[in-house]
């Protein structure tokens, strides 16, 4: 009982000792009331911004409202700032609906919107468009044209890892096309920066012509052999010329893959200047095709037109971003400084492969679909190697450790190679 009584007296005396301490601090009710507005001013915006997405979702669910329908541009921008939407860059075209004469442009999701840029809808012109989508419902919030180039072909639209530029493959006239870059924040841009120079395009064309002999030899055709054509004259086997580009991949070399926007502010991340961009590395495939494939004489032994693709890596940096053209002040003065690396690698069969697999690998003279290995920061390339003119031999009689029983070697393989640091560096790739 005595211990309980002393403990009760201890708790009763505690407020008496705390009261003088609080009075000594001098923090009164008047000081609390004067600090209250500052507290609300500093904390309430954070609370409102954090709870605003939840509030919007709750209101739209209770009252059955779709905030992604008939949204204004300002509303779409607000939704984007609070993280309720995402932006997709894509190739857009213009196709008038059957039976209607009015010009309409078709965007994603089948939405048709009036075209105010051209008096008529040209189905042969393509642009890059930016579509903003609601992250919850997937509804299309708004569509804006990034370019106004009237491109004949446009494909492989890729955004750089820092979300500053769009790199794409396109043909702006009746030509084979080029690699181009345009600012991701631009709208209705009438200019795009070409990345490949005329000299570099000639290098790719030379590669197509020289590699044609290797493709013909793998198919059992002697490139130096003169053959009798349909008219009785002698004709050599055809040569392939550069015909276009496909399969683009863009990274920032020398840094790990960017996972989120916070990585852009890290100390290891290089920063651009007002006049120059970051250095980028692009891997792409360029197509090589016979000039007159359907009517050529002395073609490959398989009877198919000579057609294949090769790989190249382009290191480029955009310069003069804040300048104008000295000949025309109304035009952008930006240009690209680029170094081209053609992947000229010899295939190496896997260790332990038998003669059937080694023969199949030696026929893989065409490469496509390049992708940089993320952990190698741009120094290794993963791609698809294929036989452009496959000939299916009978199944091997001896079981092969690399192949299931009674199966011929495939004509398409996944392969890996290193990116050359100089033109003289020898290269091999392994399927």
């Amino acid at each position: 009982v005595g211990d309980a009584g002393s403990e009760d007296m201890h708790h009763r005396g505690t407020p008496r000792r705390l009261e003088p301490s609080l009075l000594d601090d001098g923090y009164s009710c008047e000081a609390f009331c004067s600090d209250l507005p500052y507290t609300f001013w500093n904390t309430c915006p954070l609370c409102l911004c954090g709870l605003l997405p939840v509030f919007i979702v709750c209101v739209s669910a209770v009252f059955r409202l779709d905030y992604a329908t008939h949204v204004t541009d300002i509303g779409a921008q607000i939704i984007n700032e609070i993280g309720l939407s995402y932006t997709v860059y894509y190739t857009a075209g213009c196709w008038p609906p059957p039976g209607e004469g009015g010009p309409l442009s078709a965007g994603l999701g089948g939405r048709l919107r009036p075209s105010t840029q051209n008096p008529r809808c040209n189905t042969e012109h393509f642009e890059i468009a930016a579509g903003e989508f609601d992250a919850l419902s997937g509804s299309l919030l708004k569509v804006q044209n990034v370019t106004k180039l009237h491109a004949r072909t446009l494909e492989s639209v890729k955004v750089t890892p820092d979300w500053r530029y769009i790199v794409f493959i396109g043909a702006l006239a009746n030509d084979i096309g080029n690699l181009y870059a345009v600012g991701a924040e631009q709208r209705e841009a009438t200019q795009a920066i070409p990345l490949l120079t005329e000299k570099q395009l000639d290098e790719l064309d030379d590669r197509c012509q020289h590699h044609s002999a290797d493709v013909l030899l793998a198919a059992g055709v002697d490139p130096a052999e003169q053959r009798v054509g349909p008219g009785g004259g002698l004709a050599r086997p055809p040569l392939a010329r550069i015909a276009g580009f496909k399969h683009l991949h863009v990274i920032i070399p020398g840094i790990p893959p960017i996972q989120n926007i916070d990585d852009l502010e890290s100390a290891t991340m290089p920063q651009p200047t007002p006049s120059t961009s970051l250095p980028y590395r692009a891997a792409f495939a360029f197509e090589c095709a016979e000039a007159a494939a359907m009517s050529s004489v002395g073609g490959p032994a398989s009877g198919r037109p000579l057609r294949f693709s090769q790989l190249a890596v382009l290191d480029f940096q955009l310069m003069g971003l804040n300048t104008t053209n000295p000949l025309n002040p109304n035009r952008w003065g930006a240009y690209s400084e680029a170094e081209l690396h053609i992947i000229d690698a010899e295939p190496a069969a896997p260790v332990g492969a038998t003669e059937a697999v080694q023969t199949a690998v030696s026929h893989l003279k065409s490469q496509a679909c390049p992708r940089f290995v993320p952990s190698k920061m741009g120094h290794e390339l993963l791609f698809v190697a294929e036989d452009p003119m496959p000939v299916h031999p009978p199944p091997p009689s001896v079981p092969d450790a690399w192949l299931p029983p009674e199966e011929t070697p495939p004509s398409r393989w996944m392969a890996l190679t290193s990116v050359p640091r100089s033109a003289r560096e020898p290269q091999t790739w392994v399927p």
Side-chain angles (χ1 to χ4, degrees):
V1 175
D3 293 340
S6 62
E7 185 178 354
D8 182 64
M9 292 298 294
H10 172 73
H11 287 291
R12 290 179 181 176
T14 300
R16 297 178 180 177
R17 290 195 299 273
L18 290 176
E19 185 176 1
S21 300
L22 294 175
L23 292 176
D24 291 340
D25 292 338
Y27 194 79
S28 60
C29 294
E30 182 180 357
F32 172 76
C33 294
S34 62
D35 290 342
L36 196 58
Y38 298 101
T39 304
F40 280 114
W41 179 263
N42 293 325
T43 59
C44 284
L46 299 177
C47 298
L48 291 177
C49 292
L51 296 177
L52 187 57
V54 180
F55 176 75
I56 294 177
V57 173
C58 292
V59 170
S60 62
V62 171
F63 296 98
R64 297 183 179 180
L65 300 176
D66 186 4
Y67 60 87
T69 303
H70 304 295
V71 68
T72 62
D73 290 344
I74 297 178
Q77 184 176 358
I78 294 175
I79 292 174
N80 188 11
E81 291 294 334
I82 63 179
L84 284 179
S85 69
Y86 57 91
T87 302
V88 177
Y89 297 96
Y90 60 94
T91 302
C94 179
W95 299 274
E100 296 186 14
L104 295 176
S105 61
L108 287 183
R111 171 184 288 190
L112 296 176
R113 303 183 60 190
S115 175
T116 59
Q117 301 300 325
N118 297 317
R120 301 189 61 178
C121 182
N122 194 331
T123 58
E124 296 183 356
H125 289 172
F126 299 92
E127 306 291 350
I128 296 178
E132 192 167 334
F133 291 84
D134 172 48
L136 301 177
S137 65
S139 302
L140 183 61
L141 298 178
K142 66 175 180 178
V143 178
Q144 291 180 309
N145 280 349
V146 178
T147 63
K148 192 180 178 182
L149 301 172
H150 308 312
R152 297 298 181 93
T153 62
L154 202 154
E155 57 182 315
S156 297
V157 178
K158 306 294 181 183
V159 182
T160 57
D162 56 354
W163 298 291
R164 290 187 175 98
Y165 300 95
I166 302 172
V167 183
F168 61 94
I169 296 172
L172 306 186
N174 293 326
D175 54 8
I176 62 172
N178 202 329
L179 273 64
Y180 293 93
V182 68
E185 299 298 327
Q186 288 184 273
R187 295 296 179 263
E188 302 285 346
T190 58
Q191 288 181 254
I193 307 173
L195 302 183
L196 291 169
T197 63
E198 291 293 337
K199 182 179 179 180
Q200 291 168 340
L201 291 174
D202 291 339
E203 292 180 17
L204 298 179
D205 185 57
D206 291 340
R207 172 63 182 173
C208 289
Q209 298 183 54
H210 288 100
H211 193 65
S212 299
D214 295 335
V215 175
L216 294 174
L217 286 174
V221 179
D222 185 2
E225 179 185 357
Q226 290 186 333
R227 306 175 65 186
V228 180
L234 297 178
R236 292 182 178 274
L239 293 178
R241 306 294 297 269
I242 185 170
F245 305 91
K246 61 181 181 180
H247 306 161
L248 179 65
H249 189 207
V250 182
I251 64 168
I252 301 175
I255 65 170
I258 298 175
Q259 301 296 334
N260 52 64
I261 196 170
D262 294 335
D263 296 341
L264 297 175
E265 305 298 332
S266 63
T268 58
M269 180 69 184
Q271 297 298 324
T273 66
S275 60
T276 61
S277 70
L278 294 178
Y280 301 107
R281 172 166 288 185
F284 62 94
F286 58 99
E287 293 185 286
C288 306
E290 191 177 325
M294 304 307 295
S295 61
S296 62
V297 294
S302 63
R304 298 183 180 183
L306 183 61
R307 192 179 188 91
F308 56 90
S309 59
Q310 295 284 276
L311 302 181
V313 173
L314 186 71
D315 291 319
F316 68 94
Q317 189 172 14
L318 305 180
M319 314 293 288
L321 298 175
N322 57 352
T323 63
T324 58
N325 192 320
L327 301 179
N328 187 352
N330 296 325
R331 293 182 62 86
W332 200 14
Y335 62 96
S336 170
E337 288 188 354
E339 182 179 0
L340 180 66
H341 306 276
I342 298 177
I343 304 297
D344 185 11
E346 292 294 329
V351 178
T354 58
E355 184 177 354
V357 174
Q358 293 178 3
T359 303
V361 171
S362 65
H363 290 175
L364 302 178
K365 298 298 183 179
S366 181
Q367 300 92 35
C369 303
R371 291 295 182 269
F372 291 106
V373 179
S375 60
K376 300 301 181 179
M377 295 184 290
H379 298 298
E380 288 190 6
L381 203 60
L382 189 69
F383 60 95
V384 175
E386 59 184 352
D387 185 354
M389 293 181 290
V391 178
H392 301 287
S397 57
V398 180
D400 195 330
W402 288 93
L403 300 172
E406 303 298 328
E407 184 174 334
T408 59
S411 60
R412 183 173 293 173
W413 299 63
M414 291 293 295
L416 183 70
T417 187
S418 60
V419 176
R421 292 178 173 82
S422 64
R424 298 181 180 181
E425 182 179 352
Q427 295 174 253
T428 59
W429 58 264
V430 182

